[in-house]
Amino acid sequence: MFVFYTAVAGGIGSALRFFISQSIQKTKFHAHFPYSIILINLLGAAGLGVLTGAVTSNDPLLLIIGIGFFGGFTTFSTFSVEAAAMLHERLIGQLAVYLLVTIIGSLCLFATFYQIGQRLF
């Protein structure tokens, strides 16, 4: 049953990612920089941080929501494609900002929200 629940949670996460991405891509800002991918990955890191801080490592919610929902919601593959495209187009400044904000931001948000999850629950 865990596989089924994890798959459903992954589908919900993927659908939410699609909705957020489409909403942001309709704005004029997205044309030059992948803001939606950054936002999605930062939100995912924060959410997974709260969850991981709030539940024990053997809690089924960590599997269902952590692997399922957040696995479907966040997107390392699209992050990689966007980074490779910037490198190919020699947009080194944009690439540096994209990498730093995504990687450092995700780590910092995860750590911060992990602490919040531990204190709240």
Side-chain angles (χ1 to χ4, degrees):
M1 241 7 213
F2 283 123
V3 172
F4 174 75
Y5 293 139
T6 303
V8 169
I12 293 168
S14 295
L16 183 58
R17 173 175 28 114
F18 177 79
F19 173 75
I20 291 171
S21 180
Q22 291 299 306
S23 297
I24 292 174
Q25 287 178 5
K26 290 179 183 176
T27 66
K28 62 181 176 181
F29 299 109
H30 185 77
H32 303 291
F33 199 75
Y35 294 106
S36 61
I37 304 306
I38 291 175
L39 177 63
I40 287 164
N41 286 330
L42 293 177
L43 288 173
L48 189 57
V50 169
L51 178 68
T52 305
V55 301
T56 60
S57 61
N58 59 353
D59 192 316
L61 285 177
L62 190 57
L63 294 174
I64 295 167
I65 298 172
I67 293 171
F69 177 80
F70 287 112
F73 181 68
T74 58
T75 174
F76 189 76
S77 56
T78 304
F79 164 76
S80 300
V81 168
E82 296 285 355
M86 287 179 204
L87 183 61
H88 179 73
E89 294 173 19
R90 301 187 195 282
L91 299 171
I92 304 305
Q94 283 187 359
L95 175 61
V97 169
Y98 185 56
L99 293 175
L100 288 172
V101 169
T102 302
I103 295 169
I104 302 300
S106 293
L107 291 171
C108 290
L109 283 171
F110 178 88
T112 300
F113 279 84
Y114 178 86
Q115 294 297 319
I116 290 169
Q118 285 190 319
R119 286 175 174 72
L120 288 179
F121 303 100

